[in-house]
Amino acid sequence: MPARIIDGRAVASELRAELLERSSALRETGVAPSLAIVLVGEDDSSRAYVQTLARTGERVGVSVSIEELDASASAAQVREQLEKLGNDSGVHGVMLQQPLPPHLSIRTIGEAIPLRKDVDGSHPTNQGLLAFGSGPHFVPATPAAVMLLLERSPHWPLAGRRAVIVGRSVVVGAPVAMLMLAHDATIAILHRRSESFQPYLQLAEVIVVAAGVPGLIGGKDIAAGATVIDVGTTIVDGVLKGDVDFDSAQQVAGAITPVPGGVGPVTNMALMRNAIKAAEDFSSR
């Protein structure tokens, strides 16, 4: 029978109710949760995403401002803007939208993101804490969303489970691997340099696909009953497509996330959860 759909919109709705309650409690104490997003350049997908975040913020009581810099901005200018926001007591969370223009590198800018306001977990210190399994102050939003969805899957808890992550980016693949290891899963990471995806996929009970290649994984690639989390988001002929061929995979998997309606809505709420946590930390100082 077809796989059970893990509905990201339903999970996001659960989170929204919780976050609205927390943000309302903060406002009663005189703290209005705020998130500043630094957007460098004119990337259409990035602009659409941050506008979606602004609308999401309105729904959970987080004020979202978009700080725009020209595509030609230097690393020094981006760092200056991040440091300015770090010193602004009215801003609780700061996010640097990626991807950056080609002449900029997160590796040379990331440390300028104010650590206590790093709601997307991009600061090297937060990434290092995640890698060491010692608890980052903020877990990156998309990896956090993957874990929230896995909690609703038939393969939770993950202890002892065979898991495969397709994609090794520092934004999704690597952090997801660290989070799953913290739950005692047995991990294999596949990527574009892997000679073959098999037998790893056929052995996997849990598969997370974050490669940015539409339709990369299909039903023939996976084991019957596997849980499949599709992080892919690529526009193909005006339609949002995931990295998993949903129609074929649904006939084989035990549980699967759709695109759209899976990881995306939960990612937005995970980011807002971090922004509210940052505001709560501020109010308790």
Coordinates of all heavy atoms in Angstrom, one line a residue, residues 45-141:
S45 N 15.1 33.6 -5.7 CA 14.7 32.6 -4.8 C 14.9 33.0 -3.3 O 14.0 32.8 -2.5 CB 15.4 31.3 -5.0 OG 15.1 30.8 -6.3
S46 N 16.0 33.7 -3.1 CA 16.3 34.1 -1.7 C 15.3 35.2 -1.3 O 14.8 35.2 -0.2 CB 17.7 34.7 -1.6 OG 18.7 33.7 -1.7
R47 N 15.0 36.1 -2.2 CA 14.1 37.2 -1.9 C 12.7 36.6 -1.6 O 12.0 37.0 -0.6 CB 14.0 38.2 -3.1 CG 13.1 39.4 -2.8 CD 13.2 40.4 -3.9 NE 14.5 41.0 -3.9 CZ 14.9 41.9 -3.1 NH1 14.1 42.4 -2.2 NH2 16.2 42.4 -3.2
A48 N 12.3 35.6 -2.4 CA 11.0 35.0 -2.2 C 11.0 34.3 -0.8 O 10.0 34.4 -0.1 CB 10.7 34.0 -3.3
Y49 N 12.1 33.7 -0.5 CA 12.1 32.9 0.8 C 12.1 33.9 2.0 O 11.3 33.6 2.9 CB 13.4 32.1 0.9 CG 13.6 31.4 2.2 CD1 12.7 30.5 2.6 CD2 14.7 31.6 2.9 CE1 12.8 29.8 3.8 CE2 14.9 30.9 4.1 CZ 13.9 30.0 4.6 OH 14.1 29.3 5.7
V50 N 12.8 34.9 2.0 CA 12.8 35.8 3.1 C 11.5 36.5 3.3 O 11.0 36.8 4.4 CB 14.0 36.9 3.1 CG1 15.3 36.2 3.1 CG2 13.9 37.8 1.9
Q51 N 10.8 36.8 2.1 CA 9.4 37.3 2.2 C 8.5 36.3 2.9 O 7.6 36.7 3.6 CB 9.0 37.8 0.8 CG 9.7 39.0 0.3 CD 9.4 39.3 -1.1 OE1 8.8 38.5 -1.9 NE2 9.8 40.5 -1.6
T52 N 8.7 35.1 2.5 CA 7.9 34.0 3.2 C 8.1 34.0 4.7 O 7.2 33.9 5.5 CB 8.2 32.6 2.6 OG1 7.8 32.6 1.2 CG2 7.4 31.5 3.3
L53 N 9.4 34.2 5.1 CA 9.7 34.2 6.5 C 9.1 35.4 7.2 O 8.6 35.3 8.3 CB 11.2 34.3 6.7 CG 12.0 33.0 6.3 CD1 13.5 33.2 6.5 CD2 11.6 31.8 7.2
A54 N 9.0 36.5 6.5 CA 8.4 37.7 7.1 C 6.9 37.4 7.4 O 6.4 37.8 8.4 CB 8.5 38.9 6.1
R55 N 6.2 36.8 6.4 CA 4.8 36.4 6.6 C 4.7 35.4 7.7 O 3.7 35.5 8.5 CB 4.2 35.9 5.3 CG 4.1 36.9 4.2 CD 3.3 36.4 3.1 NE 3.9 35.3 2.4 CZ 4.7 35.4 1.3 NH1 5.1 36.6 0.9 NH2 5.2 34.3 0.7
T56 N 5.6 34.4 7.8 CA 5.5 33.4 8.9 C 5.7 34.1 10.2 O 5.0 33.8 11.2 CB 6.6 32.4 8.7 OG1 6.5 31.8 7.4 CG2 6.6 31.3 9.7
G57 N 6.6 35.1 10.3 CA 6.9 35.8 11.5 C 5.6 36.5 12.0 O 5.3 36.5 13.2
E58 N 4.9 37.1 11.1 CA 3.6 37.8 11.5 C 2.6 36.8 12.1 O 1.9 37.2 13.1 CB 3.0 38.4 10.2 CG 3.7 39.6 9.7 CD 3.0 40.1 8.4 OE1 1.9 39.6 8.1 OE2 3.5 41.1 7.8
R59 N 2.7 35.6 11.7 CA 1.7 34.6 12.2 C 2.1 34.0 13.6 O 1.2 33.4 14.2 CB 1.6 33.4 11.2 CG 1.1 33.9 9.8 CD 1.1 32.7 8.8 NE 0.1 31.8 9.1 CZ -0.1 30.6 8.4 NH1 0.8 30.3 7.5 NH2 -1.1 29.8 8.7
V60 N 3.3 34.2 14.0 CA 3.7 33.7 15.3 C 4.2 34.8 16.2 O 4.7 34.5 17.3 CB 4.8 32.6 15.1 CG1 4.3 31.4 14.4 CG2 6.1 33.2 14.5
G61 N 4.0 36.0 15.9 CA 4.4 37.1 16.7 C 5.8 37.5 16.7 O 6.3 38.1 17.7
V62 N 6.5 37.3 15.6 CA 7.9 37.7 15.5 C 8.0 38.8 14.4 O 7.6 38.5 13.3 CB 8.8 36.5 15.1 CG1 10.3 37.0 14.9 CG2 8.8 35.4 16.2
S63 N 8.6 39.9 14.8 CA 8.8 41.0 13.8 C 10.0 40.7 13.0 O 11.1 40.5 13.5 CB 8.9 42.3 14.5 OG 9.3 43.4 13.6
V64 N 9.9 40.6 11.6 CA 11.0 40.3 10.8 C 11.3 41.5 9.9 O 10.5 42.0 9.2 CB 10.6 39.1 9.8 CG1 11.8 38.8 8.9 CG2 10.3 37.9 10.7
S65 N 12.6 41.9 9.9 CA 13.1 43.0 9.1 C 14.1 42.4 8.1 O 14.8 41.5 8.4 CB 13.7 44.1 9.9 OG 14.9 43.6 10.6
I66 N 14.1 42.9 6.9 CA 15.0 42.5 5.8 C 16.0 43.6 5.6 O 15.7 44.7 5.2 CB 14.3 42.1 4.6 CG1 13.2 41.0 4.8 CG2 15.3 41.6 3.5 CD1 12.3 40.7 3.7
E67 N 17.3 43.3 5.9 CA 18.4 44.3 5.7 C 19.1 44.0 4.4 O 19.8 43.0 4.3 CB 19.3 44.2 6.9 CG 18.7 44.2 8.3 CD 18.0 45.6 8.6 OE1 18.5 46.6 8.1 OE2 17.1 45.6 9.3
E68 N 18.8 44.8 3.4 CA 19.3 44.5 2.1 C 20.7 45.2 1.8 O 20.9 46.4 2.1 CB 18.3 45.0 1.0 CG 17.0 44.2 1.1 CD 16.1 44.5 0.0 OE1 16.6 44.6 -1.2 OE2 14.8 44.6 0.2
L69 N 21.6 44.5 1.2 CA 22.9 45.0 0.7 C 23.0 44.7 -0.7 O 22.5 43.7 -1.3 CB 24.0 44.3 1.5 CG 24.1 44.6 3.0 CD1 25.2 43.8 3.6 CD2 24.3 46.1 3.3
D70 N 23.7 45.6 -1.4 CA 23.9 45.4 -2.9 C 24.7 44.2 -3.2 O 25.5 43.7 -2.4 CB 24.6 46.7 -3.4 CG 24.7 46.7 -4.9 OD1 23.7 47.1 -5.5 OD2 25.7 46.3 -5.5
A71 N 24.5 43.6 -4.4 CA 25.2 42.4 -4.8 C 26.7 42.6 -4.8 O 27.4 41.6 -4.7 CB 24.7 41.9 -6.1
S72 N 27.1 43.8 -5.0 CA 28.6 44.1 -5.0 C 29.2 44.3 -3.6 O 30.4 44.6 -3.5 CB 28.8 45.3 -5.9 OG 28.2 46.4 -5.4
A73 N 28.4 44.2 -2.6 CA 28.9 44.4 -1.2 C 30.1 43.6 -0.9 O 30.2 42.4 -1.3 CB 27.8 44.2 -0.2
S74 N 31.1 44.2 -0.2 CA 32.3 43.4 0.1 C 32.0 42.6 1.4 O 31.1 42.9 2.1 CB 33.4 44.4 0.4 OG 33.2 45.2 1.5
A75 N 33.0 41.7 1.7 CA 32.9 40.9 2.9 C 32.9 41.9 4.1 O 32.2 41.6 5.1 CB 34.0 39.9 3.0
A76 N 33.7 42.9 4.0 CA 33.8 43.9 5.2 C 32.5 44.6 5.4 O 32.1 44.8 6.5 CB 34.9 44.9 4.9
Q77 N 31.8 44.9 4.3 CA 30.5 45.6 4.5 C 29.4 44.6 5.1 O 28.6 45.0 5.9 CB 30.0 46.1 3.1 CG 30.8 47.3 2.6 CD 30.4 47.7 1.2 OE1 30.3 46.8 0.3 NE2 30.2 48.9 0.9
V78 N 29.5 43.4 4.7 CA 28.5 42.4 5.2 C 28.8 42.2 6.7 O 27.9 42.2 7.5 CB 28.6 41.1 4.5 CG1 27.6 40.1 5.1 CG2 28.2 41.3 3.0
R79 N 30.1 42.1 7.0 CA 30.5 41.9 8.4 C 30.1 43.1 9.3 O 29.6 42.9 10.4 CB 32.0 41.6 8.5 CG 32.5 40.3 7.9 CD 34.0 40.3 7.9 NE 34.5 40.3 9.3 CZ 34.8 39.2 10.0 NH1 34.6 38.0 9.4 NH2 35.3 39.3 11.2
E80 N 30.2 44.3 8.7 CA 29.8 45.5 9.4 C 28.4 45.5 9.7 O 27.9 45.8 10.8 CB 30.2 46.7 8.6 CG 29.9 48.0 9.3 CD 30.2 49.2 8.4 OE1 30.8 49.0 7.3 OE2 30.0 50.4 8.9
Q81 N 27.5 45.1 8.8 CA 26.1 45.0 9.0 C 25.7 44.0 10.0 O 24.9 44.3 10.9 CB 25.4 44.7 7.7 CG 23.9 44.7 7.8 CD 23.2 46.0 8.1 OE1 23.6 47.0 7.6 NE2 22.3 46.0 9.0
L82 N 26.4 42.9 10.0 CA 26.1 41.8 11.0 C 26.5 42.3 12.4 O 25.8 42.1 13.4 CB 26.8 40.5 10.6 CG 26.3 39.8 9.4 CD1 27.3 38.7 9.0 CD2 25.0 39.2 9.6
E83 N 27.6 42.9 12.5 CA 28.1 43.4 13.8 C 27.2 44.5 14.3 O 26.9 44.6 15.5 CB 29.5 43.9 13.7 CG 30.5 42.7 13.5 CD 31.9 43.2 13.0 OE1 32.1 44.4 12.8 OE2 32.7 42.3 12.7
K84 N 26.7 45.4 13.4 CA 25.7 46.4 13.8 C 24.5 45.8 14.4 O 24.0 46.3 15.5 CB 25.4 47.3 12.6 CG 24.3 48.4 12.9 CD 24.0 49.1 11.6 CE 22.9 50.1 11.8 NZ 22.5 50.8 10.6
L85 N 23.9 44.8 13.8 CA 22.8 44.1 14.3 C 23.0 43.4 15.6 O 22.2 43.3 16.5 CB 22.2 43.1 13.3 CG 21.7 43.7 12.0 CD1 21.4 42.7 10.9 CD2 20.4 44.5 12.3
G86 N 24.3 42.9 15.7 CA 24.7 42.3 17.0 C 24.6 43.2 18.2 O 24.4 42.8 19.3
N87 N 24.9 44.5 17.9 CA 24.9 45.5 19.0 C 23.6 46.2 19.2 O 23.5 47.0 20.1 CB 26.0 46.6 18.6 CG 27.4 46.0 18.6 OD1 27.7 45.2 19.5 ND2 28.2 46.5 17.7
D88 N 22.6 45.8 18.4 CA 21.2 46.4 18.5 C 20.4 45.6 19.5 O 20.0 44.5 19.2 CB 20.6 46.4 17.1 CG 19.3 47.2 17.1 OD1 18.7 47.4 18.2 OD2 18.8 47.6 16.0
S89 N 20.1 46.2 20.7 CA 19.4 45.4 21.7 C 17.9 45.2 21.3 O 17.3 44.3 21.9 CB 19.4 46.2 23.0 OG 18.8 47.5 22.9
G90 N 17.5 45.8 20.3 CA 16.1 45.6 19.8 C 16.0 44.4 18.9 O 14.9 44.1 18.5
V91 N 17.1 43.9 18.5 CA 17.1 42.7 17.6 C 17.5 41.5 18.3 O 18.6 41.5 19.0 CB 18.1 43.0 16.4 CG1 18.2 41.7 15.5 CG2 17.6 44.1 15.5
H92 N 16.7 40.5 18.3 CA 17.0 39.2 19.1 C 17.7 38.1 18.3 O 18.5 37.4 18.8 CB 15.8 38.7 19.7 CG 15.1 39.8 20.6 ND1 13.9 40.3 20.3 CD2 15.5 40.4 21.7 CE1 13.5 41.2 21.2 NE2 14.5 41.3 22.1
G93 N 17.3 38.0 17.0 CA 17.8 37.0 16.1 C 18.4 37.7 14.8 O 17.8 38.6 14.3
V94 N 19.5 37.1 14.3 CA 20.1 37.6 13.1 C 20.4 36.4 12.2 O 20.9 35.4 12.6 CB 21.4 38.3 13.4 CG1 22.1 38.7 12.1 CG2 21.2 39.6 14.3
M95 N 20.0 36.5 10.9 CA 20.2 35.5 10.0 C 20.9 36.1 8.7 O 20.4 37.1 8.2 CB 18.9 34.8 9.6 CG 19.0 33.8 8.4 SD 17.3 33.2 8.1 CE 17.6 32.5 6.5
L96 N 21.9 35.4 8.2 CA 22.5 35.8 6.9 C 22.0 34.9 5.9 O 22.3 33.7 5.9 CB 24.0 35.7 7.0 CG 24.8 36.0 5.7 CD1 24.5 37.4 5.2 CD2 26.3 35.8 5.9
Q97 N 21.2 35.4 5.0 CA 20.5 34.5 3.9 C 21.6 34.0 3.0 O 22.4 34.7 2.5 CB 19.5 35.4 3.2 CG 18.9 34.6 2.0 CD 18.2 33.3 2.3 OE1 17.8 33.1 3.5 NE2 18.0 32.5 1.3
Q98 N 21.5 32.7 2.7 CA 22.4 32.1 1.7 C 21.5 31.5 0.6 O 20.4 31.2 0.8 CB 23.2 31.0 2.4 CG 24.1 31.5 3.5 CD 24.9 30.4 4.1 OE1 25.8 29.8 3.5 NE2 24.7 30.1 5.4
P99 N 22.1 31.3 -0.6 CA 23.5 31.5 -1.0 C 23.9 33.0 -1.1 O 23.0 33.9 -1.4 CB 23.6 30.8 -2.4 CG 22.2 31.0 -2.9 CD 21.3 30.9 -1.8
L100 N 25.2 33.2 -0.9 CA 25.7 34.6 -1.1 C 26.2 34.7 -2.5 O 26.4 33.8 -3.2 CB 26.9 34.7 -0.1 CG 26.6 34.7 1.4 CD1 27.9 34.5 2.2 CD2 25.8 35.9 1.8
P101 N 26.4 36.0 -2.9 CA 27.0 36.2 -4.3 C 28.3 35.5 -4.4 O 29.0 35.3 -3.4 CB 27.2 37.7 -4.3 CG 26.1 38.3 -3.4 CD 26.0 37.2 -2.3
P102 N 28.7 35.1 -5.6 CA 29.9 34.3 -5.8 C 31.2 34.8 -5.2 O 32.1 34.0 -4.8 CB 30.1 34.2 -7.3 CG 28.7 34.4 -7.8 CD 28.0 35.4 -6.9
H103 N 31.3 36.1 -5.0 CA 32.6 36.7 -4.5 C 32.7 36.7 -3.0 O 33.7 37.0 -2.4 CB 32.8 38.1 -5.0 CG 31.8 39.1 -4.4 ND1 30.5 39.2 -4.8 CD2 32.0 40.1 -3.5 CE1 29.9 40.2 -4.2 NE2 30.8 40.7 -3.3
L104 N 31.6 36.2 -2.3 CA 31.5 36.2 -0.9 C 31.5 34.7 -0.4 O 31.0 33.8 -1.1 CB 30.3 36.9 -0.3 CG 30.2 38.4 -0.6 CD1 28.9 38.9 -0.2 CD2 31.4 39.1 0.0
S105 N 32.1 34.4 0.8 CA 32.1 33.1 1.3 C 31.6 33.1 2.8 O 32.1 33.9 3.6 CB 33.5 32.5 1.2 OG 33.6 31.3 2.0
I106 N 30.7 32.2 3.1 CA 30.3 32.1 4.5 C 31.4 31.8 5.4 O 31.4 32.1 6.6 CB 29.1 31.0 4.6 CG1 28.5 31.1 6.0 CG2 29.7 29.7 4.2 CD1 27.8 32.4 6.3
R107 N 32.5 31.1 4.9 CA 33.6 30.8 5.7 C 34.4 32.0 6.2 O 35.0 31.9 7.2 CB 34.5 29.8 4.9 CG 33.9 28.5 4.6 CD 34.9 27.5 3.9 NE 34.3 26.3 3.5 CZ 34.1 25.2 4.3 NH1 34.6 25.3 5.6 NH2 33.6 24.1 3.9
T108 N 34.3 33.1 5.4 CA 35.0 34.3 5.9 C 34.1 35.3 6.5 O 34.6 36.3 7.1 CB 35.7 35.0 4.6 OG1 34.7 35.3 3.7 CG2 36.7 34.0 4.0
I109 N 32.8 35.0 6.5 CA 31.8 36.0 7.1 C 31.1 35.4 8.3 O 30.7 36.1 9.2 CB 30.8 36.4 6.0 CG1 31.5 37.1 4.9 CG2 29.7 37.3 6.6 CD1 30.6 37.4 3.7
G110 N 31.0 34.1 8.3 CA 30.1 33.4 9.4 C 30.5 33.8 10.8 O 29.5 34.0 11.6
E111 N 31.7 34.1 11.1 CA 32.1 34.4 12.5 C 31.6 35.8 12.9 O 31.6 36.1 14.1 CB 33.6 34.3 12.7 CG 34.4 35.3 11.9 CD 35.9 35.1 12.0 OE1 36.3 34.0 12.5 OE2 36.6 36.0 11.7
A112 N 31.2 36.6 11.9 CA 30.7 37.9 12.3 C 29.2 37.9 12.7 O 28.7 38.9 13.2 CB 30.8 38.9 11.1
I113 N 28.5 36.8 12.4 CA 27.1 36.6 12.9 C 27.2 36.6 14.4 O 27.9 35.8 15.0 CB 26.5 35.3 12.3 CG1 26.5 35.3 10.8 CG2 25.1 35.2 12.9 CD1 26.1 34.0 10.2
P114 N 26.4 37.5 15.1 CA 26.4 37.5 16.5 C 26.0 36.1 17.1 O 24.9 35.7 16.8 CB 25.5 38.6 16.9 CG 24.7 38.9 15.7 CD 25.5 38.5 14.5
L115 N 26.9 35.6 17.9 CA 26.7 34.2 18.3 C 25.4 33.9 19.1 O 24.7 33.0 18.8 CB 27.9 33.8 19.2 CG 27.9 32.3 19.7 CD1 27.9 31.3 18.6 CD2 29.1 32.1 20.6
R116 N 25.0 34.9 20.0 CA 23.8 34.7 20.8 C 22.6 35.0 20.0 O 21.5 34.8 20.5 CB 23.9 35.6 22.0 CG 25.1 35.3 22.9 CD 25.0 34.0 23.6 NE 23.9 33.9 24.6 CZ 23.6 32.9 25.4 NH1 24.4 31.8 25.3 NH2 22.6 32.9 26.2
K117 N 22.7 35.5 18.8 CA 21.6 35.8 17.9 C 21.6 34.9 16.6 O 20.8 35.1 15.8 CB 21.6 37.3 17.5 CG 21.6 38.2 18.7 CD 21.5 39.7 18.3 CE 21.5 40.6 19.4 NZ 21.3 42.1 19.0
D118 N 22.5 34.0 16.6 CA 22.7 33.1 15.4 C 21.6 32.1 15.2 O 21.8 30.9 15.4 CB 24.1 32.5 15.5 CG 24.3 31.5 14.3 OD1 23.8 31.8 13.2 OD2 25.1 30.5 14.5
V119 N 20.4 32.5 14.8 CA 19.2 31.7 14.9 C 19.2 30.6 13.8 O 18.4 29.6 13.9 CB 17.9 32.5 14.8 CG1 17.7 33.3 16.0 CG2 17.9 33.4 13.5
D120 N 20.1 30.7 12.8 CA 20.2 29.6 11.8 C 21.4 28.8 11.9 O 21.8 28.0 11.0 CB 20.1 30.2 10.4 CG 19.6 29.2 9.3 OD1 18.8 28.3 9.7 OD2 19.9 29.3 8.2
G121 N 22.1 28.9 13.1 CA 23.2 28.0 13.4 C 24.4 28.1 12.4 O 25.0 27.1 12.2
S122 N 24.7 29.3 11.8 CA 25.7 29.4 10.8 C 27.1 29.8 11.4 O 28.1 29.7 10.7 CB 25.3 30.4 9.7 OG 24.1 29.9 9.1
H123 N 27.1 30.3 12.6 CA 28.4 30.7 13.2 C 29.3 29.5 13.4 O 28.8 28.4 13.8 CB 28.1 31.4 14.5 CG 29.3 32.1 15.1 ND1 30.4 31.4 15.7 CD2 29.6 33.4 15.2 CE1 31.3 32.3 16.1 NE2 30.8 33.5 15.8
P124 N 30.6 29.6 13.1 CA 31.5 28.4 13.3 C 31.4 27.8 14.7 O 31.5 26.6 14.8 CB 32.9 29.0 13.0 CG 32.6 30.2 12.1 CD 31.3 30.8 12.6
T125 N 31.2 28.6 15.7 CA 31.1 28.0 17.0 C 29.9 27.1 17.2 O 30.0 26.0 17.7 CB 31.1 29.2 18.1 OG1 32.3 29.9 18.0 CG2 30.9 28.6 19.5
N126 N 28.7 27.6 16.7 CA 27.5 26.8 16.8 C 27.7 25.5 15.9 O 27.3 24.4 16.4 CB 26.3 27.5 16.3 CG 25.6 28.3 17.4 OD1 25.6 27.8 18.5 ND2 25.1 29.4 17.1
Q127 N 28.3 25.6 14.8 CA 28.6 24.4 13.9 C 29.5 23.5 14.6 O 29.4 22.2 14.6 CB 29.1 24.8 12.6 CG 28.1 25.6 11.7 CD 28.4 25.5 10.3 OE1 29.4 25.1 9.8 NE2 27.4 25.9 9.5
G128 N 30.5 24.0 15.3 CA 31.5 23.2 16.0 C 30.8 22.5 17.2 O 31.1 21.3 17.4
L129 N 30.0 23.2 17.9 CA 29.3 22.5 19.1 C 28.4 21.4 18.6 O 28.2 20.4 19.2 CB 28.4 23.6 19.8 CG 29.2 24.6 20.6 CD1 28.3 25.7 21.1 CD2 30.0 23.9 21.8
L130 N 27.8 21.6 17.4 CA 26.9 20.6 16.8 C 27.8 19.3 16.5 O 27.4 18.2 16.7 CB 26.2 21.1 15.6 CG 25.2 20.1 14.9 CD1 24.1 19.8 15.8 CD2 24.7 20.8 13.6
A131 N 28.9 19.6 15.8 CA 29.8 18.5 15.4 C 30.3 17.7 16.6 O 30.5 16.5 16.6 CB 31.0 19.0 14.6
F132 N 30.6 18.4 17.7 CA 31.1 17.8 18.9 C 30.0 17.1 19.8 O 30.3 16.5 20.8 CB 31.8 18.8 19.8 CG 33.3 19.0 19.4 CD1 33.7 19.9 18.5 CD2 34.2 18.1 20.0 CE1 35.0 20.1 18.2 CE2 35.6 18.2 19.6 CZ 36.0 19.2 18.7
G133 N 28.7 17.3 19.3 CA 27.6 16.7 20.1 C 27.4 17.3 21.4 O 26.9 16.7 22.3
S134 N 27.9 18.5 21.6 CA 27.8 19.2 22.9 C 26.7 20.2 23.0 O 26.7 21.0 24.0 CB 29.2 19.8 23.3 OG 29.6 20.7 22.3
G135 N 25.8 20.2 22.1 CA 24.7 21.1 22.2 C 24.9 22.5 21.7 O 25.3 23.4 22.5
P136 N 24.7 22.8 20.4 CA 24.8 24.2 20.0 C 23.7 25.0 20.6 O 22.6 24.5 21.0 CB 24.6 24.1 18.4 CG 23.7 22.8 18.3 CD 24.2 21.9 19.4
H137 N 23.9 26.3 20.7 CA 22.9 27.2 21.2 C 21.6 27.2 20.3 O 20.5 27.2 20.8 CB 23.4 28.6 21.4 CG 22.6 29.5 22.2 ND1 22.4 29.2 23.6 CD2 21.9 30.6 22.0 CE1 21.6 30.1 24.1 NE2 21.3 31.0 23.2
F138 N 21.9 27.2 19.0 CA 20.8 27.1 18.0 C 21.1 26.0 17.0 O 22.2 26.0 16.4 CB 20.6 28.4 17.3 CG 20.2 29.5 18.2 CD1 21.1 30.5 18.5 CD2 18.9 29.6 18.7 CE1 20.8 31.6 19.3 CE2 18.6 30.7 19.5 CZ 19.5 31.7 19.8
V139 N 20.1 25.1 16.8 CA 20.3 24.1 15.7 C 19.8 24.7 14.4 O 18.7 25.3 14.4 CB 19.4 22.8 16.1 CG1 19.4 21.8 14.9 CG2 19.9 22.2 17.4
P140 N 20.5 24.6 13.3 CA 20.1 25.1 12.1 C 18.7 24.7 11.7 O 18.3 23.5 12.0 CB 21.1 24.5 11.1 CG 22.3 24.3 11.9 CD 21.8 23.9 13.2
A141 N 17.9 25.6 11.1 CA 16.5 25.4 10.9 C 16.1 24.2 10.1 O 15.2 23.4 10.5 CB 15.8 26.7 10.3

